[in-house]
Amino acid sequence: MKKILMIAMWLVACLSMQAQGNQAEIKFDKITHNFGTFSEKDPIQTATFTFTNVGSAPLIINQAIASCGCTVPTFTKQPIKPGEKGEIKVKYNGTGKFPGHFKKSITIRCNGKTEMTRLYVEGNMEEAK
């Protein structure tokens, strides 16, 4: 009985290690984008974050949530094969916001080895003159 139990535990351990080896992994080119200084007259700014699946299984982005309603992320919906690239586009809309420095975060959740990543957009909106 002990022998069967040991063999079963050994098989479970081997299968667990094999499953961990075949996993997606996301790698971003950058995690922060600075819009620099822009005028309140041109309040809409966009940024693109490019990522690569450096893992060995398809990568699926499950969620992209911004910290504020003025920041809207859109992302690649289909699975990203190993070695391929995808994009997350972020649109910041400063209409009706107070001029000055801002920094917003976008939380990315995926099926990768690192399940959560935060991206940041920042800039300085100057008052219209």
Side-chain angles (χ1 to χ4, degrees):
M1 186 66 176
K2 287 182 183 181
K3 213 178 222 185
I4 293 172
L5 185 58
M6 291 298 287
I7 290 171
M9 288 176 45
W10 181 76
L11 284 173
V12 168
C14 288
L15 290 173
S16 295
M17 286 189 285
Q18 183 180 7
Q20 287 176 350
N22 193 20
Q23 194 169 17
E25 188 172 349
I26 194 166
K27 182 175 190 284
F28 283 92
D29 292 348
K30 62 181 179 179
I31 60 168
T32 301
H33 179 83
N34 191 329
F35 294 118
T37 301
F38 59 94
S39 173
E40 191 176 17
K41 291 179 184 177
D42 187 23
I44 298 174
Q45 302 291 312
T46 58
T48 301
F49 293 89
T50 304
F51 62 87
T52 306
N53 179 2
V54 296
S56 56
L59 174 73
I60 300 169
I61 304 290
N62 298 318
Q63 234 177 14
I65 300 174
S67 61
C68 176
C70 61
T71 307
V72 179
T74 56
F75 57 93
T76 306
K77 304 279 192 230
Q78 68 271 13
I80 307 298
K81 295 178 184 173
E84 290 187 355
K85 293 183 177 285
E87 291 183 338
I88 297 176
K89 294 182 181 182
V90 178
K91 182 167 112 177
Y92 172 77
N93 186 348
T95 305
K97 302 291 179 197
F98 288 107
H101 184 265
F102 65 89
K103 185 171 187 174
K104 307 294 178 184
S105 66
I106 301 91
T107 303
I108 308 301
R109 296 193 183 274
C110 68
N111 69 330
K113 185 177 178 181
T114 304
E115 294 177 4
M116 185 188 83
T117 305
R118 282 217 171 87
L119 305 175
Y120 300 93
V121 292
E122 64 180 314
N124 186 36
M125 185 168 69
E126 287 187 334
E127 188 174 347
K129 296 177 179 150

